[in-house]
Amino acid sequence: MGVDRWEEGSLTHVDAIPQVDVRHIFEDNDGSMWFGTMDGLFHLVGDKVRRYGAADGLASGVVRHVVSDGDVLLVATYGGGLHYLAGDRFRRIGAKHGLTDDFLSHIFLDQLGYVWVSGNGGLCWFKKSGLESIVAGKGGRLAPICLTEDH
């Protein structure tokens, strides 16, 4: 477990990331790497690593998926809902904002400006612009279209 790096024909362990169960790896547009783990989110930039957890706004340490389109970085957590990176803190978007539940598995950003999320409650999609008022602290709810067992 943990993270190893393959460079110039050799494999080395990334010591700054502990021996955690990695669930997702995402390479951002700037070449940095995000690691969703069973113990939080790790961001590797060159040789420097930052761990994000509860103190940074993540409502769950079980990070299942990370995605970015260059404008927004979104994180799906299992039990904590969707998280939006605003500055150096995450803002939580969950069931109280219109998602079917907070147990998410995957996120997809499409070319039409929609965010797609899947989880225990089904598959939902909504306009990415709907996240802005929630993240700004103005409240509100998303207007997702959801496919669930009931629909």
Side-chain angles (χ1 to χ4, degrees):
M1 292 198 297
V3 176
D4 294 322
R5 183 187 310 210
W6 180 262
E7 286 183 309
E8 300 178 17
S10 73
L11 190 65
T12 58
H13 184 72
V14 179
D15 292 325
I17 299 178
Q19 297 292 320
V20 294
D21 188 357
V22 175
R23 294 299 175 141
H24 182 75
I25 301 171
F26 174 74
E27 183 176 9
D28 214 336
N29 293 338
D30 61 5
S32 66
M33 303 295 291
W34 294 89
F35 299 91
T37 77
M38 296 294 286
D39 191 30
L41 178 67
F42 293 83
H43 188 205
L44 175 65
V45 181
D47 291 329
K48 297 189 186 290
V49 174
R50 175 165 180 192
R51 181 187 180 275
Y52 290 89
D56 305 297
L58 286 180
S60 169
V62 181
V63 176
R64 303 285 296 268
H65 199 250
V66 181
V67 69
S68 175
D69 64 0
D71 294 327
V72 61
L73 182 102
L74 297 173
V75 174
T77 65
Y78 197 76
L82 182 67
H83 292 78
Y84 181 115
L85 184 60
D88 62 350
R89 287 200 47 81
F90 282 94
R91 303 291 183 239
R92 182 177 183 268
I93 297 100
K96 73 177 188 175
H97 301 106
L99 296 179
T100 58
D101 70 294
D102 293 327
F103 294 88
L104 303 180
S105 296
H106 193 83
I107 314 165
F108 177 76
L109 299 170
D110 73 18
Q111 295 177 342
L112 299 175
Y114 286 89
V115 178
W116 296 70
V117 295
S118 67
N120 287 4
L123 174 68
C124 294
W125 62 97
F126 52 87
K127 285 294 251 181
K128 183 174 81 169
S129 59
L131 296 171
E132 294 171 1
S133 68
I134 295 169
V135 170
K138 298 177 184 175
R141 288 178 54 85
L142 300 170
I145 298 169
C146 297
L147 301 175
T148 66
E149 286 185 355
D150 298 331
H151 296 94

